[in-house]
Amino acid sequence: MPHTASRYLAEGPRVGIRHFTYEDGAEFTARARESKELHQPWLFPPDSESAYLAYAGRLIEDPTKAGFLVCEKDGERGAGAIAGFININNIVQGGFRCGALGYGAFAHAAGRGLMREGLDLVIDHAFGPMGLHRLEINAQPRNTASLALARSCGFRLEGFSPKMIYIDGEWRDHERWAITAEMRASG
């Protein structure tokens, strides 16, 4: 059987990661609308076509950002169904080689370990082909699912920042978590 190229940048047993495309808008926004109760008050992914096009455009066009869709390889919603998203924002090269992660699972995929698998793939991609050295996660202290994901992937708690990020009309406190390439290699 001839080998065909994968549509994914990296694959695990149950998910693959790939970059956002403009064509993903209908599925992404439908999943975002289905997941509002899960996401709020922590995050507000785009839930309309115009908002998605602006959001995806930043991830596709801006070299300081990289967006990844976590897609189920097989699942009740079909092969390739979007389970969640992981973005690396504020990418800085040079001596810093760092980025800040933001992520969210969609409701149908929450609690199934798919985001853990996807985040592991993104971390390996960031420390491998992207050449980054450090990734950071800033999560609100009451966002237990986000904190559990950071912890399970080997991130260490580095501190607490009061009123760090403006979300939903308020400056919100955040815990700062990080992982380096060396931590990943020894973990």
Side-chain angles (χ1 to χ4, degrees):
M1 174 183 278
H3 175 16
T4 57
S6 172
R7 64 189 279 192
Y8 299 116
L9 297 164
E11 293 182 59
R14 297 184 299 152
V15 302
I17 59 168
R18 64 178 177 81
H19 288 295
F20 279 73
T21 69
Y22 291 110
E23 292 75 26
D24 293 311
E27 182 182 0
F28 189 97
T29 57
R31 301 275 185 263
R33 287 188 301 273
E34 293 168 2
S35 304
K36 275 187 193 260
E37 189 173 309
L38 174 68
H39 290 157
Q40 293 176 6
W42 317 117
L43 68 151
F44 298 82
D47 61 1
S48 71
E49 187 69 23
S50 61
Y52 175 82
L53 291 174
Y55 178 80
R58 290 189 297 273
L59 294 168
I60 293 167
E61 306 293 332
D62 185 342
T64 68
K65 299 180 186 312
F68 302 92
L69 294 172
V70 177
C71 301
E72 291 186 76
K73 290 167 62 177
D74 296 301
E76 62 187 49
R77 296 192 180 218
I82 300 171
F85 56 97
I86 302 169
N87 301 329
I88 306 176
N89 300 299
N90 306 324
I91 297 171
V92 179
Q93 296 294 341
F96 200 40
R97 292 190 359 238
C98 181
L101 290 171
Y103 47 79
F106 290 125
H108 75 279
R112 295 175 42 210
L114 302 176
M115 289 300 291
R116 163 67 198 269
E117 189 177 317
L119 184 54
D120 278 335
L121 294 170
V122 169
I123 293 167
D124 289 343
H125 186 75
F127 291 157
M130 291 180 70
L132 297 180
H133 174 257
R134 176 183 169 90
L135 292 171
E136 300 174 356
I137 293 172
N138 297 297
Q140 294 177 58
R142 292 185 307 123
N143 188 344
T144 56
S146 185
L147 296 174
L149 181 57
R151 194 176 294 111
S152 73
C153 287
F155 285 74
R156 70 175 171 232
L157 178 63
E158 291 192 333
F160 178 80
S161 296
K163 306 208 179 298
M164 180 182 186
I165 302 174
Y166 193 76
I167 299 173
D168 194 28
E170 282 187 49
W171 287 100
R172 309 277 179 168
D173 298 343
H174 282 72
E175 291 183 8
R176 295 186 324 278
W177 294 73
I179 192 169
T180 63
E182 292 84 1
M183 289 168 62
R184 186 70 171 182
S186 68

